[in-house]
Amino acid sequence: KWGPKSQILIAIEEMAELQQALLKYLRGRETNVEEEIADVKIVLKHLEIMFDKKEVDEWEKKKLIRLENRIKSNK
């Protein structure tokens, strides 16, 4: 609806807000981490629509396998 450039800018803004909320959390300040996570999840879904969701899913699968292998090798 708002165009790809606008959606990318909104995604960057929402991710920055999550980053800020996480930093506040680590400093023991009141924060809205859960709300910011929800916002980021929503904009990520928008980005998947704009870009190649199938390729994103393939990369996610590869990276989860890599993470699982790292966890297993550290036991």
Side-chain angles (χ1 to χ4, degrees), residues 10 18 27 43:
I10 290 168
L18 175 57
R27 292 193 306 263
V43 297

Side-chain angles (χ1 to χ4, degrees), residues 2 5 7 16 22 27-28 39 43 48 55 58-59 63 67 70 72:
W2 297 281
K5 183 177 180 180
Q7 284 300 121
L22 289 168
R27 292 193 306 263
D39 288 343
V43 297
E48 284 183 332
E55 188 173 345
E58 289 172 14
W59 276 109
K63 290 180 180 273
L67 176 61
R70 287 180 179 169
K72 286 178 182 178

Side-chain angles (χ1 to χ4, degrees), residues 5-75:
K5 183 177 180 180
S6 178
Q7 284 300 121
I8 291 169
L9 290 171
I10 290 168
I12 293 167
E13 180 181 345
E14 293 298 346
M15 288 184 280
E17 289 175 5
L18 175 57
Q19 182 182 28
Q20 183 180 21
L22 289 168
L23 289 168
K24 285 180 180 179
Y25 173 83
L26 289 175
R27 292 193 306 263
R29 295 176 58 198
E30 187 174 327
T31 184
N32 59 340
V33 172
E34 295 83 0
E35 177 185 357
E36 298 305 339
I37 290 171
D39 288 343
V40 168
K41 287 177 72 171
I42 290 166
V43 297
L44 287 176
K45 289 177 184 181
H46 291 173
L47 292 176
E48 284 183 332
I49 292 167
M50 291 172 47
F51 293 94
D52 186 346
K53 184 180 182 333
K54 183 178 176 184
E55 188 173 345
V56 171
D57 290 342
E58 289 172 14
W59 276 109
E60 181 179 12
K61 185 176 178 178
K62 288 177 190 177
K63 290 180 180 273
L64 286 171
I65 290 168
R66 184 177 69 187
L67 176 61
E68 182 179 12
N69 290 335
R70 287 180 179 169
I71 291 169
K72 286 178 182 178
S73 69
N74 286 332
K75 286 185 177 182

